[in-house]
Amino acid sequence: MKKELLGYTEEQHKKFKKHAWIVLLAFSILYCFLYCGRQNLSYAMPAMMKEEGWTALQLGVLSSVQFWTYAFGHLINGRLGEIVGVNKLIIIGIVLSAGMNLLIGFQTSLFLITILWGINGYVQSMLWSPGMALLANWWPSSRRGFATGFANAFSGLGSVVTAFAVSLSYVILPDSGWRSAFIGAAIVMLAVTAIYPFFAKEKPSSVGLPEYVDPNAVREDDENELQKIIEEKGKLYPYIHLLKQWKFDLWLVIIACSSIARYGLLTWIPTYFTEVFQYDIEFGIIGSVICPLGMAAGALVIPWLSDHMWSQNRLPWVVISSAGAAITVFCFMNAGPGALASALLFFAGFFIYGINSLVWAFATDVGGRIFGGTASGILDCAAYIGASLQAIIFGSILTNSGNWNFVFAGIVGVLVVMIFAALLAGKKTKKKLA
């Protein structure tokens, strides 16, 4: 926040800055551990296929169910959090998710597991979009790329934490097989949730401060206009306001393609390592964390750069990152086991998740403190429609042909689509987006 006092006295600004960092850290850590109850399925899939005889297509459908319910939930919960309170929804969501994971750990029916996993997807959607609204309350427009990227980096690290948590669960509960991945997740999530409410405050008024004044006068005026829109047209009008903007709609295409690429790697790389590289299940899980490590790094670096260069639209960074990701994924297709494959996987994750993080900076730009959560919810809905489609399509490809090149070629294809969408959205118009 540099030297900007944001409408505060020196003492008030010091207090505001301290709590802004506490909120950012608290939410980021909580969301990191939320992944233990979501990404654990990807790391459990090799064992589920081995122990139960379930196919890649069946588990692809199972994975897809959560993505659909997660996508639908964001349409509701992004706005709901702004109405009822973001922290309330965040805590309820992670507790219910832990409960669903615990129940799955005691099931034998794939049908029942699918139902519970679908419910898990919905309750998990109670965190990210409200979380973006939470960060907008504490971080002005000049620093939102950093703040949303920081939180997104922790979500990238969530896959790493999940990988180690699942591996440790296999060691601690060896007789439970794949079920240990879900039981262990529930325990970890509940432990972290117990701490969160003591640190994360919803807005400056929660600690006796007035709301900050955005240093960007245009953004401040925009937020005042957005507030008038709600007062005049109702609490649900933000959906219409956002969707009627064609550039916002192109960002929906960008995030959907980004999610296909992201989850195309996260969902299937552990299986790729065990089937193609012939790693055992535990080593395949640990080896695959290089991709989410790259994602965490990209989520930090690329949005931070966008705060300092092209901050008004951030779209040039989408083009650069999409091109970088396409090149690295294409090269990974032809790489064998070893350091080169790991390096390519790292940079593929770096660029792909950098794009994902840019989307949330854009969401808080276009919605601000007034309905940044709503914007995030609509965008995340599009993201997980893409994620659900990749689970079914790639699962079907692997079941019917076993050809991994088709999977990676599909990922490269959507990255190219993203480049064209970003170039189109970057065209100048007389009327600004936000």
Side-chain angles (χ1 to χ4, degrees):
M1 295 176 190
K2 303 179 181 179
K3 297 179 180 179
E4 299 160 344
L5 294 181
L6 310 175
Y8 295 124
T9 65
E10 290 280 357
E11 284 301 312
Q12 286 177 323
H13 182 259
K14 183 178 179 180
K15 182 178 180 180
F16 171 83
K17 188 175 181 180
K18 180 185 77 170
H19 281 283
W21 269 103
I22 291 173
V23 168
L24 178 58
L25 286 168
F27 175 74
S28 299
I29 292 170
L30 181 75
Y31 201 80
C32 175
F33 281 91
L34 177 74
Y35 267 69
C36 289
R38 185 196 309 175
Q39 199 63 39
N40 54 341
L41 175 61
S42 295
Y43 296 123
M45 279 167 56
M48 295 171 86
M49 287 188 278
K50 181 178 179 180
E51 295 171 22
E52 305 293 344
W54 294 328
T55 68
L57 177 57
Q58 286 176 307
L59 295 180
V61 171
L62 171 62
S63 177
S64 174
V65 166
Q66 185 197 53
F67 291 145
W68 282 108
T69 55
Y70 186 81
F72 173 76
H74 270 290
L75 278 180
I76 298 172
N77 293 320
R79 186 72 191 124
L80 184 62
E82 292 167 332
I83 295 173
V84 305
V86 293
N87 269 342
K88 183 184 298 183
L89 213 60
I90 287 170
I91 294 169
I92 291 172
I94 194 168
V95 170
L96 290 177
S97 179
M100 293 304 105
N101 274 271
L102 190 61
L103 288 173
I104 289 172
F106 294 94
Q107 303 304 313
T108 57
S109 165
L110 184 58
F111 177 73
L112 289 176
I113 291 171
T114 301
I115 293 174
L116 292 171
W117 197 240
I119 297 172
N120 184 53
Y122 179 83
V123 298
Q124 285 228 343
S125 74
M126 294 179 177
L127 278 83
W128 184 254
S129 299
M132 292 302 95
L134 175 69
L135 296 186
N137 287 342
W138 287 98
W139 292 83
S141 61
S142 60
R143 297 282 280 163
R144 284 181 192 150
F146 166 77
T148 57
F150 187 92
N152 219 27
F154 271 76
S155 72
L157 288 176
S159 296
V160 181
V161 170
T162 304
F164 284 100
V166 170
S167 297
L168 184 61
S169 297
Y170 283 149
V171 173
I172 296 175
L173 302 169
D175 296 333
S176 297
W178 62 263
R179 294 174 179 80
S180 61
F182 297 91
I183 297 171
I187 295 171
V188 170
M189 291 162 68
L190 289 173
V192 176
T193 306
I195 303 171
Y196 174 79
F198 296 100
F199 293 95
K201 304 302 180 183
E202 189 155 319
K203 56 181 64 175
S205 60
S206 303
V207 295
L209 292 172
E211 303 306 313
Y212 68 81
V213 177
D214 198 290
N216 186 324
V218 174
R219 296 291 187 198
E220 185 71 19
D221 289 342
D222 285 345
E223 289 191 354
N224 292 332
E225 289 299 318
L226 295 178
Q227 183 61 47
K228 290 179 182 178
I229 287 173
I230 293 177
E231 293 171 356
E232 293 174 0
K233 300 187 177 182
K235 293 182 178 180
L236 298 181
Y237 189 77
Y239 291 102
I240 299 173
H241 176 79
L242 292 166
L243 290 173
K244 71 181 182 180
Q245 301 181 50
W246 68 271
K247 286 193 176 184
F248 183 86
D249 295 335
L250 283 172
W251 274 94
L252 296 178
V253 174
I254 290 169
I255 187 60
C257 290
S258 173
S259 200
I260 289 172
R262 173 193 175 196
Y263 276 97
L265 294 179
L266 288 178
T267 302
W268 301 108
I269 285 298
T271 304
Y272 181 77
F273 275 11
T274 58
E275 288 188 0
V276 178
F277 288 178
Q278 298 297 305
Y279 295 161
D280 60 35
I281 291 175
E282 288 78 8
F283 189 76
I285 291 173
I286 298 302
S288 66
V289 302
I290 192 71
C291 182
L293 280 173
M295 290 182 176
L300 275 174
V301 173
I302 293 176
W304 174 78
L305 288 172
S306 78
D307 275 344
H308 299 278
M309 188 182 300
W310 303 312
S311 61
Q312 294 305 308
N313 60 37
R314 309 183 194 266
L315 288 164
W317 289 107
V318 175
V319 176
I320 293 168
S321 299
S322 299
I327 292 169
T328 51
V329 172
F330 179 80
C331 292
F332 180 80
M333 290 171 61
N334 303 302
L340 177 60
S342 295
L344 290 169
L345 199 56
F346 177 90
F347 282 106
F350 178 93
F351 288 118
I352 289 172
Y353 214 43
I355 300 164
N356 188 277
S357 295
L358 290 170
V359 171
W360 311 124
F362 166 76
T364 53
D365 285 343
V366 76
R369 286 169 283 182
I370 310 305
F371 46 78
T374 306
S376 298
I378 297 171
L379 287 159
D380 225 2
C381 177
Y384 280 88
I385 289 175
S388 64
L389 291 175
Q390 71 76 26
I392 295 174
I393 294 170
F394 294 155
S396 180
I397 289 172
L398 293 174
T399 297
N400 295 320
S401 72
N403 193 325
W404 284 95
N405 284 338
F406 289 159
V407 173
F408 295 123
I411 292 172
V412 171
V414 297
L415 289 166
V416 172
V417 171
M418 239 191 305
I419 292 174
F420 286 105
L423 289 173
L424 182 59
K427 288 185 175 181
K428 292 182 178 180
T429 56
K430 293 182 180 179
K431 185 178 180 180
K432 60 186 176 64
L433 175 62

